[in-house]
Amino acid sequence: MEMQKLYLLVPLAPLAGAAIAGLFCRVIPRWLAHTAAISGVAIAFIASLIIFRDVQAGNTYNGPVYQWLTSGDYAFEVGFLIDQLTVTMMLVVTFVSLMVHIYTIGYMHDDPGYNRFFSYIALFTFSMLMLVMSNNFMQLFFGWEAVGLVSYLLIGFWYTRPTAIFANMKAFLVNRVGDFGFILGIGLVLAHFGTLDYQTVFDKAPALADATITLISDRDWGTVSLMSATCILLFIGAMGKSAQVPLHVWLPDSMEGPTPISALIHAATMVTAGIFMVARMSPLFELSDTALSFVIIIGSITALFMGFLGIIQNDIKRVVAYSTLSQLGYMTVALGVSAYSVAIFHLMTHAFFKALLFLGAGSVIIGMHHDQDIRNMGGLRKYMPITWLTSLIGSLALIGTPFFAGFYSKDSIIEAVALSHISGSGFAYFAVMAGVFVTAFYSFRMYFLVFHGEERFGKVHEAAHQAPARHDDPAAHGDDHHAVADVHEEHHGLAPGQKPHETPWVVTLPLVLLAIPSVVIGYLTIEPMLYGNFFKNAIFINAEAHPVMEEMAHEFHGALAMAIHAVSSPVFWLALAGVVLSWFFYLKRPEIPAAIKSACGPIYTLLDNKYYFDKFNEVFFAGGARLLGKGLWKGGDVAVIDGLIVGGSVRLIGWVSMMARFFQSGHIYHYAFTMIFGVCALLSFWLLRA
């Protein structure tokens, strides 16, 4: 019972902090708002640590908290499932969220919406915790939607900016597309399993492995596997939350929100929901190779082609954003080859170094007086030593440098893909290998342009006067703390003679604390998480059909041996080649990238337009929705409802009234004629029937 109370404390503590900071945001001082929010998340983190130790001792929990409603034979409950997978997510979410909360004190100190922002991020943490701790699909869905709702508020936090309004609307609508598939998948679960409880569904799944559903009757191709349809629909939900092609378009635009929320969304919360959900549903996905192939192909496309877009970005936050998209593709690929534990392992390591990179980018933005264009930076290493060192650590972890956290998880994904025989694994292997070089290139392109080379700040730059090029770039509008002012009247960037400066300790402390796990967490946890019994009862793998993890276990000889052996692997040399080429292009021969850009104009245009996904969505989905709405308005409302039903009924009543007045004349021969006509009509009707 005591542990159950502790389970409740984890989500409720951030909720209490959100309530205090939000409901009283106009009357309480700033220090009280951030103290309440930070205390709530800190309590959740400490409680998660205690629960983690309890789970490690062999104690798990699966049970309801209360029954929400009953409908016929169906019961909808709020409950918790506490196991190894859950506590891993709880620790990641609460720790990264705590770092973001502390960081926010320094980053948002001049913003008039300070208290409101703390309320939002604490509420965001509560929503994510309810999602990962759920033991049923109903609670999962409501947590899923709550995370999406709060992200909508956060992305559009500076609600006076047209770009922020557009970004939050895009995030909201694109995620609803994914949610449509998600709710259909949950509907199939309820219809065929008769319950929404995870464990009951998982227990019944093997008996329904060969079950089919009919989409179109009297057609051979109209019958599909129940398990494949359910898993693919659930994964479409994950495509929205975890930003997989083609539902990825909202994530880069989420940079319109303040930097702390960029870190929270990208690193530890919203985008990890889809990865976690598929791992949780492993007993279902293991019954459908079709669904796994679909997952691996989508993940491969995302991992490679979103990485290409990172190469041409000049906004420091957007480089990291496209890196997130690519790394989410890696996680998805791992899910597709039945390496669920590897996907969660990369999710964990990625949370630390990606939060570090985002917060490091925010520190640079503060030091540069809110200029986000990496072309206007250079030589920041000597002015911002802590930010430089921690950003270097994050970049090394991201590209998979041996002994860093990202190395162990990314190399494990590549190894799993190489051993897989699932359809699509060949293309996936090419994608993840090519992605190694691409990731190293764009990551260190940003690193070299920001921290090394010529000092380009405090100058008038041509790019600053190119309004069209900067229209949809947050750097153009500034990741500033003066949202209520006119964008074009604000000062962004260092004035001539000004120098960058290191940020306050409330900003640098989270960087240091995130840098530590970015280095050591992979080395310390790879063996128990991937090859031990850590996820034994939380993740199910059909080892006979998908023996990838067993084969990897035979080849694993310890974290140290893995790192030493990696030096001779092609993965290491691809990453090194990306770093060296980036150094040569942007520090030694900067004229070469400009020449390549001029020579490859069509390719650059394709990348600059993000493969025209935004245009397609605007024309097909948005345009189609507008066309449908106009059709329903003109055809349905105006023509049918107003014209035919309302207007027609009025005209019909008028005609009937006129005819009635004609026969209601008071003359007996009119009544006689009406009776005779009625009798003739009835006789004709009966005779025709006969």
Side-chain angles (χ1 to χ4, degrees), residues 58-76:
N59 301 313
T60 59
Y61 178 80
N62 182 15
V65 176
Y66 71 92
Q67 191 172 87
W68 182 52
L69 69 86
T70 57
S71 178
D73 297 329
Y74 303 121
F76 300 92

Side-chain angles (χ1 to χ4, degrees), residues 21 26 71 82 117 241 252-253 265 502 547 555 619:
R26 297 182 182 276
S71 178
I82 307 298
F117 188 79
K241 282 291 181 288
D253 285 345
I265 288 177
E502 187 62 272
E555 298 180 8
V619 173

